Amino acid sequence: MDELQVLSQLRILRHQYFQLVEPYQLRWPDSAILKAPDVQSWLFTNLFDADGITSPPPQRYQHRVLKLLISKLEKSIDNPEEDRRCLFNHLLTWFFPCEQEISNDLMSAMGTLLTSCVPSEADSAQQKAFVTYSYPLHLNNGSTSDERTVTLLEARSVISSSGTTGLRTWEAALLLGSYLASESGRTIIRGKRLFELGAGTGMLSILCAKYLEVAGIVATDGDEAVVDAIKTNMFLNGLDTDDSSGCQVRTAALKWGWPMDATTFSEDYGMETPDVLFGADVTYDKSVIPRLVSTMWEFFELNSALQVFISATIRNEQTFETFLNACKRNGFGFEQIDCPPVPEHDQVGPFYPTSTPIQIWRITRSQVAKDPFAI
């Protein structure tokens, strides 16, 4: 295996690690590669160097991954009994001569984690943590670049007091992000004004504002606490409302079903009427579909040429069928975008399960709607 192939494997592992993929799902290079001193040095620098990584995973997660890595290195040692005893002593005293097998840096990182007050699994699951999503840019030579990353503070196991699921990023958003970052998606949104419904963590809006050359974007959610979290995540990614990047970036609370005032839209949202409206995982609750479709109708009233993109994990086919029927009865045209999920074993970032279908639909206005609440 040549150097570029090894580096590609290591980058995929890094993408998984910073997205907090479960350790047992990480795609490790084989033992012969892991044993190489330069590979171990790369792993320490890029995964476990506390002084050089600005948005690290939780310590509990680091500990689980590093423990697994050291276990793999132990098993690759040529003389298991002798070197395992040496490894144990090295962990305790840090100066036994095992550095030819497992690097001092990796062992020191494990020692630091073992002596830290690492929270329990239960406590760790309830805390907000840095999660980094990678959308590698595919270059002309077939290689990829790591330049497109979005780092968020997420509460992956927490639902807020108001019952929202907007404090973590869901798989439908990850697939929609892949589409928007593709050549086809970039052609649609480049230079356009975007408006996101049910933005949750703000991952999609941040991706578009940071990398995809949009003119402006408003990230909205119906929960004020979630909107505050979006502001924090935008700050983490170097975005603010000062238009310093050349892209207008705004956040706002938006309750679906309320009428839009065309004369005050710019004043309310700091942006002219949008060209593209999008939302991910916004159709999972049948009870909100009338209000969602009503809001889409209001946006079409503002701009009849609007394009709407809805990404949905199809957990309940009847619920999603209710959404499509509502669109049909309101005079909306719709078509499914050809952007199937990447099989899990081929994903290079972001990473998401594919056991439940995920679909992206483009919705347009084909005629004047008479009843925005029609279902």
Side-chain angles (χ1 to χ4, degrees):
M1 185 176 296
D2 63 31
E3 184 177 345
L4 284 178
Q5 289 176 311
V6 172
L7 185 58
S8 176
Q9 288 190 5
L10 292 174
R11 283 176 170 170
I12 291 172
L13 177 63
R14 181 174 63 186
H15 295 166
Q16 290 183 307
Y17 174 78
F18 284 104
Q19 196 184 309
L20 308 191
V21 171
E22 283 296 318
Y24 70 88
Q25 294 179 312
L26 296 175
R27 303 212 298 266
W28 295 94
D30 63 37
S31 297
I33 294 174
L34 289 176
K35 284 177 62 175
D38 56 341
V39 170
Q40 291 188 44
S41 177
W42 190 98
L43 290 171
F44 170 75
T45 300
N46 288 275
L47 274 61
F48 303 110
D49 184 3
D51 295 328
I53 297 173
T54 56
S55 303
Q59 286 186 318
R60 171 63 61 178
Y61 180 82
Q62 293 183 53
H63 176 264
R64 292 171 63 199
V65 174
L66 188 52
K67 181 179 178 181
L68 182 56
L69 171 59
I70 290 176
S71 174
K72 289 179 176 293
L73 291 171
E74 278 192 275
K75 292 176 181 177
S76 71
I77 292 174
D78 295 331
N79 189 340
E81 293 303 322
E82 178 181 350
D83 288 321
R84 187 177 293 109
R85 183 169 58 254
C86 182
L87 170 62
F88 177 73
N89 289 334
H90 190 180
L91 181 59
L92 295 178
T93 63
W94 302 8
F95 57 81
F96 280 71
C98 296
E99 54 269 26
Q100 71 275 16
E101 296 292 354
I102 301 180
S103 78
N104 281 330
D105 286 335
L106 290 176
M107 296 309 302
S108 296
M110 175 60 92
T112 299
L113 289 170
L114 288 174
T115 57
S116 300
C117 296
V118 178
S120 67
E121 289 283 1
D123 289 341
S124 181
Q126 298 302 311
Q127 296 174 352
K128 281 193 172 185
F130 290 115
V131 185
T132 298
Y133 297 95
S134 297
Y135 287 86
L137 177 63
H138 295 275
L139 305 177
N140 292 333
N141 62 3
S143 64
T144 58
S145 169
D146 287 338
E147 63 178 302
R148 298 190 298 189
T149 59
V150 175
T151 297
L152 310 172
L153 265 177
E154 291 193 11
R156 311 198 92 203
S157 300
V158 175
I159 295 179
S160 76
S161 58
S162 59
T164 182
T165 55
L167 297 177
R168 62 164 294 175
T169 302
W170 298 89
E171 51 266 37
L174 299 177
L175 180 62
L176 182 55
S178 294
Y179 173 69
L180 295 176
S182 70
E183 183 176 351
S184 297
R186 293 199 308 271
T187 299
I188 293 170
I189 66 174
R190 184 183 291 116
K192 300 296 179 60
R193 297 182 298 273
L194 277 59
F195 198 103
E196 183 176 8
L197 300 175
T201 62
M203 189 279 294
L204 285 172
S205 288
I206 293 169
L207 175 69
C208 291
K210 195 173 180 181
Y211 299 115
L212 304 185
E213 303 175 54
V214 301
I217 193 159
V218 181
T220 69
D221 200 276
D223 187 285
E224 293 279 4
V226 172
V227 174
D228 288 340
I230 295 173
K231 293 177 181 177
T232 298
N233 285 332
M234 286 189 168
F235 176 79
L236 285 175
N237 288 273
L239 300 173
D240 56 36
T241 58
D242 294 333
D243 200 21
S244 58
S245 66
C247 169
Q248 289 182 304
V249 179
R250 298 289 187 271
T251 60
L254 175 66
K255 298 291 185 181
W256 298 346
W258 289 81
M260 294 279 179
D261 187 343
T263 60
T264 61
F265 187 90
S266 176
E267 181 180 324
D268 291 342
Y269 298 108
M271 186 177 74
E272 298 301 319
T273 303
D275 306 295
V276 176
L277 181 73
F278 65 96
D281 258 327
V282 293
T283 60
Y284 63 90
D285 185 349
K286 192 172 183 178
S287 67
V288 305
I289 287 176
R291 296 194 297 274
L292 171 61
V293 174
S294 172
T295 294
M296 291 166 53
W297 186 87
E298 293 284 346
F299 273 94
F300 279 123
E301 285 289 282
L302 295 176
N303 178 10
S304 60
L306 181 76
Q307 293 192 75
V308 179
F309 293 89
I310 298 294
S311 181
T313 302
I314 313 299
R315 302 178 181 90
N316 185 310
E317 291 185 5
Q318 290 183 339
T319 298
F320 193 70
E321 192 67 27
T322 296
F323 170 71
L324 292 182
N325 286 336
C327 290
K328 184 177 181 180
R329 293 177 184 178
N330 278 273
F332 303 159
F334 48 85
E335 62 173 331
Q336 186 175 348
I337 297 295
D338 184 17
C339 183
V342 176
E344 292 181 40
H345 62 273
D346 291 332
Q347 293 173 6
V348 297
F351 305 91
Y352 50 87
T354 59
S355 54
T356 304
I358 311 172
Q359 300 174 0
I360 301 174
W361 290 76
R362 185 205 315 264
I363 301 169
T364 55
R365 190 176 197 179
S366 57
Q367 64 187 59
V368 176
K370 297 180 180 179
D371 182 2
F373 288 96
I375 294 297

